Amino acid sequence: MGTEVGSAVEILEPLLPPEKIPPWREQITVRGLLVSTLLGALFCIITHKLNLTVGVIPSLNVAAGLLGFFFIKSWTELATRIGLSAKPFTRQENTVIQTCVVACYGLAFSGGFGSYMLSMDQRTYELIGADYPGNRAEDVKNPSLSWMIGFMFVVSFLGLFSLVALRKVMVIDYKLTYPSGTATALLINSFHTTTGAELAGKQVRCLGKYLSISFFWSCFKWFFSGVGDSCGFDNFPSLGLAAFKNTFYFDFSPTYVGCGLICPHIVNCSVLLGAIISWGFLWPFIATKAGDWYENNLGSNDFKGLYGYKVFVAISLILGDGLYNLIKIVVITIKEFLNAYSKQTSLPLAVAHQDDESSKLLMEERLRNETFVKDSIPSWFAASGYVGLAAISTAVIPNIFPQMRWYLVLACYIVAPALAFCNSYGTGLTDWSLASTYGKIGLFVFASLVGSKGGVIAGLAACGVMMSIVSTAADLMQDFKTGYLTLSSPRSMFVSQLIGTALGCIIAPLTFWLYWTAFDVGAPDGVYKAPYAVIYREMAILGVEGFSALPKHCLELCCVFFVAALVINLMRDVTPKNVSSYIPIPMAMAVPFYIGAYFAIDMFIGTVVLYVWERLNRSEAEDYAGAVASGLICGDGIWIIPSAILSIFRIDPPICMYFTPSS
């Protein structure tokens, strides 16, 4: 996220193919769709695991492009060896696979399976407490495959139709960078050139090696994890028993170490800093005030005690960071839009300057532009698609959530395209999607509009509608940028997005159901705590009831951290780059406030490994760090499948390894 990419034109010119660009229909293949389905399921499993444990989701776009290349290339080589004919594997087909996979696993995040959707269930209601003001038993809707799949289908496609007509404006006219999309295009182009073939093969072998290591290590850990949540390497007091009590320990998780290798250094350091502030100082201090600030005999998950401080201080940091960045991106969007309009910077498609040394670059840029607009998607089709889907959704959603009246759903769809534009433009500038922030705005607004009778469910449902639209719209435009730089047809990209979204509407709920039936999802002391489920329900209750039920001095602390988030973000923007790059990110700091410090240790180890690697051999780190991280994350993610099967059949690990003081 936020990676500096440089001029896409300069970087990608040598990678442009001399071969003929295949028609858009030939860019979508049966083998590509099969691989997309397989990878989409794998990435949904990984995303769910991260959502249900720590809530930090790294960008997997590059991994999708890399694994797509690996599977199709392996297939074509196998077919050649056994004497079968196989169509050449093009960069366009690779791009379509990557797009389809991203569209599929993106719904595992925007579908809210670890946040707003899970906030409605009985477990979350009971965790907050039946006697908690505003937490009503009527505001409960437990997960079910039927309504989850139905809800996904009626809300997930609208974001694709909301901005497709603006693809030329965003990608060609304003030349938005979309750093992740550009980086993915760089990778795909390097795979499909002679000079990049050797490196691509090494990257794939590296990914396979670390995937195997991660898988077998996760299998090995299982044998010692016993029954319950206190056994095994996941509870290894590597920094001592005293630190372990405050969640400071290394839990040997390949997934979080892989996240540390993928996420920027400042993100990992921010997470560790948040862990030190909260679990190192703040929570131990507040714990000494038991009996004064709050009752002494409260349970560990009672919101009137220490648990309430953890949740609401985390919420205040998240909201402060989100509000600041939302205002910032809206201001930048308006400013850039007005500047572009006043200067008439729309890029002509027929560039005639061919009388100097720059003619080659201009002709290649024209080729990209012509390819990007050739297979146009009619505006009337996009508009009618959005209106038709909005009408269907407006009729269906009140049947799923009676608290969400039809006119409230319609209001969401009236304002959503403007928010989707802001989010897509901001993602193009900063590589940071604020889909969850727009969702929280919808949550607060609609929860307060509906009021105490049904406001919690209505707010959470509105959050889902907003998140789905703005998230899929930003993902679509990011992938359009990748397609533009790999000379892929926008029509094939759009169709692959539709297919990937349809797959995600089925695969994301099914893979979530795997966790739901096999594990104790939502248990506060378990592995799959689903931390954001409680946070989102609390935000909905706040939207309806206000702050009257908070423990002593909790509101004051929330205000302090909310203002601190604003100030820190302001400092990041006004200080020179060589200073701001060392200022922490409040959103990343907030995550361990509620979850614990253990995953921050894992991610920090990942970032230390990457830092040392970069100092020893920067070019090697740049070439292979992504492959190593993807292998670690994917191997651990694959182990979830046999682990879940073992759990379903009630096959328990044979050994419980745990630690106690020696005296």
Side-chain angles (χ1 to χ4, degrees):
M1 295 183 294
T3 306
E4 293 294 331
V5 178
S7 171
V9 174
E10 291 180 39
I11 292 174
L12 294 161
E13 296 307 338
L15 304 175
L16 285 173
E19 70 269 12
K20 180 183 176 182
I21 301 171
W24 74 270
R25 286 185 177 86
E26 295 181 12
Q27 297 175 20
I28 304 173
T29 62
V30 174
R31 67 186 183 187
L33 295 180
L34 291 175
V35 168
S36 298
T37 304
L38 176 64
L39 291 179
L42 172 61
F43 283 14
C44 279
I45 290 171
I46 293 169
T47 303
H48 285 317
K49 178 178 181 180
L50 293 171
N51 251 333
L52 296 173
T53 50
V54 298
V56 177
I57 313 296
S59 174
L60 298 175
N61 294 40
V62 171
L66 176 60
L67 286 171
F69 174 83
F70 166 68
F71 279 107
I72 298 296
K73 202 66 176 177
S74 300
W75 161 253
T76 55
E77 290 180 359
L78 178 63
T80 303
R81 288 180 181 178
I82 62 177
L84 298 176
S85 60
K87 290 178 59 178
F89 184 35
T90 64
R91 72 191 69 212
Q92 288 80 18
E93 185 181 359
N94 203 161
T95 304
V96 165
I97 292 171
Q98 180 267 337
T99 299
C100 192
V101 173
V102 170
C104 180
Y105 92 80
L107 297 188
F109 166 70
S110 63
F113 297 99
S115 55
Y116 65 83
M117 198 176 283
L118 204 56
S119 297
M120 306 176 187
D121 82 328
Q122 184 72 24
R123 165 66 66 78
T124 308
Y125 161 75
E126 292 172 353
L127 279 176
I128 293 175
D131 58 342
Y132 190 85
N135 190 35
R136 306 189 315 149
E138 294 85 350
D139 293 326
V140 169
K141 190 172 184 66
N142 287 309
S144 165
L145 277 178
S146 57
W147 76 258
M148 288 192 301
I149 292 175
F151 181 72
M152 296 290 285
F153 267 105
V154 297
V155 302
S156 299
F157 290 90
L158 281 101
L160 303 180
F161 288 90
S162 62
L163 292 185
V164 67
L166 297 178
R167 70 191 184 285
K168 176 180 175 293
V169 174
M170 307 284 266
V171 175
I172 296 180
D173 294 352
Y174 295 151
K175 296 184 178 180
L176 295 177
T177 307
Y178 290 101
S180 289
T182 302
T184 306
L186 255 173
L187 180 76
I188 291 174
N189 278 332
S190 70
F191 287 164
H192 296 272
T193 58
T194 305
T195 55
E198 183 180 357
L199 175 61
K202 291 180 179 179
Q203 287 175 324
V204 168
R205 287 191 293 272
C206 179
L207 184 145
K209 173 184 175 182
Y210 283 92
L211 185 150
S212 302
I213 292 172
S214 176
F215 178 84
F216 286 111
W217 171 247
S218 298
C219 177
F220 176 77
K221 286 201 305 179
W222 177 83
F223 283 93
F224 299 88
S225 57
V227 179
D229 303 310
S230 60
C231 306
F233 286 92
D234 292 339
N235 296 278
F236 196 103
S238 46
L239 300 178
L241 289 171
F244 179 79
K245 291 179 181 178
N246 283 314
T247 72
F248 281 95
Y249 58 94
F250 175 52
D251 70 348
F252 298 90
S253 169
T255 295
Y256 304 146
V257 174
C259 288
L261 283 166
I262 286 182
C263 292
H265 294 305
I266 188 61
V267 172
N268 298 314
C269 293
S270 298
V271 171
L272 182 62
L273 178 62
I276 293 171
I277 291 173
S278 56
W279 292 91
F281 297 99
L282 187 59
W283 304 151
F285 170 75
I286 294 178
T288 63
K289 301 297 181 181
D292 181 13
W293 289 12
Y294 57 92
E295 294 181 23
N296 200 12
N297 56 349
L298 297 176
S300 60
N301 300 307
D302 194 317
F303 276 87
K304 295 179 181 178
L306 181 60
Y307 192 66
Y309 294 96
K310 295 177 183 178
V311 171
F312 287 104
V313 171
I315 289 174
S316 64
L317 269 174
I318 291 170
L319 290 180
D321 187 282
L323 179 64
Y324 180 91
N325 282 286
L326 176 62
I327 295 172
K328 171 187 169 182
I329 287 176
V330 169
V331 170
I332 292 174
T333 299
I334 295 173
K335 181 180 177 181
E336 294 292 331
F337 188 84
L338 293 176
N339 288 342
Y341 181 79
S342 63
K343 295 177 182 178
Q344 295 294 312
T345 58
S346 183
L347 181 68
L349 294 181
V351 182
H353 303 290
Q354 300 180 11
D355 55 351
D356 54 33
E357 292 296 325
S358 66
S359 62
K360 184 172 182 275
L361 296 180
L362 293 170
M363 289 178 66
E364 289 173 335
E365 185 174 355
R366 182 175 66 178
L367 174 62
R368 286 202 190 92
N369 296 338
E370 289 176 345
T371 302
F372 195 67
V373 300
K374 181 179 65 174
D375 296 324
S376 62
I377 302 164
S379 297
W380 64 265
F381 175 76
S384 58
Y386 186 85
V387 172
L389 288 170
I392 294 171
S393 186
T394 301
V396 172
I397 288 180
N399 291 315
I400 301 175
F401 303 110
Q403 300 89 340
M404 190 72 175
R405 306 302 177 119
W406 68 268
Y407 50 85
L408 297 176
V409 181
L410 183 61
C412 284
Y413 291 135
I414 291 173
V415 301
L419 299 179
F421 174 81
C422 291
N423 191 46
S424 298
Y425 200 107
T427 303
L429 293 170
T430 66
D431 205 33
W432 192 278
S433 174
L434 295 177
S436 60
T437 300
Y438 290 99
K440 293 183 187 81
I441 293 172
L443 188 155
F444 278 111
V445 170
F446 287 91
S448 61
L449 285 175
V450 175
S452 58
K453 295 184 178 181
V456 171
I457 295 292
L460 293 170
C463 174
V465 172
M466 288 294 187
M467 271 187 68
S468 295
I469 293 176
V470 300
S471 178
T472 53
D475 288 343
L476 173 68
M477 214 55 66
Q478 184 102 256
D479 289 330
F480 270 145
K481 180 70 174 185
T482 303
Y484 170 76
L485 295 172
T486 57
L487 294 176
S488 302
S489 166
R491 190 170 294 181
S492 69
M493 301 290 290
F494 185 68
V495 172
S496 68
Q497 278 273 353
L498 291 174
I499 295 172
T501 301
L503 290 172
C505 290
I506 298 172
I507 292 174
L510 286 175
T511 48
F512 168 75
W513 202 249
L514 180 72
Y515 284 91
W516 182 257
T517 55
F519 304 109
D520 192 12
V521 173
D525 299 321
V527 176
Y528 300 102
K529 298 179 178 67
Y532 282 102
V534 171
I535 288 176
Y536 273 71
R537 188 174 184 91
E538 275 297 320
M539 286 192 287
I541 293 172
L542 276 180
V544 174
E545 298 292 328
F547 298 94
S548 58
L550 297 181
K552 190 175 181 181
H553 300 304
C554 184
L555 181 58
E556 291 90 331
L557 280 172
C558 289
C559 292
V560 169
F561 280 93
F562 181 86
V563 173
L566 299 177
V567 172
I568 291 171
N569 274 296
L570 182 63
M571 290 173 61
R572 286 177 57 84
D573 285 338
V574 300
T575 54
K577 189 173 181 180
N578 61 340
V579 176
S580 64
S581 60
Y582 294 98
I583 298 177
I585 300 171
M587 188 77 75
M589 292 174 60
V591 179
F593 270 68
Y594 173 68
I595 300 168
Y598 60 93
F599 81 97
I601 304 292
D602 298 353
M603 292 181 68
F604 186 71
I605 288 174
T607 212
V608 169
V609 170
L610 180 60
Y611 179 82
V612 173
W613 195 358
E614 288 173 337
R615 289 296 175 271
L616 295 176
N617 192 331
R618 176 170 289 274
S619 62
E620 184 183 85
E622 290 175 351
D623 289 339
Y624 296 107
V628 172
S630 300
L632 291 174
I633 294 172
C634 292
D636 199 21
I638 292 172
W639 169 248
I640 290 298
I641 299 174
S643 173
I645 294 172
L646 291 170
S647 178
I648 290 171
F649 286 99
R650 299 294 186 264
I651 300 175
D652 297 322
I655 302 171
C656 175
M657 180 179 70
Y658 67 97
F659 300 85
T660 59
S662 59
S663 58

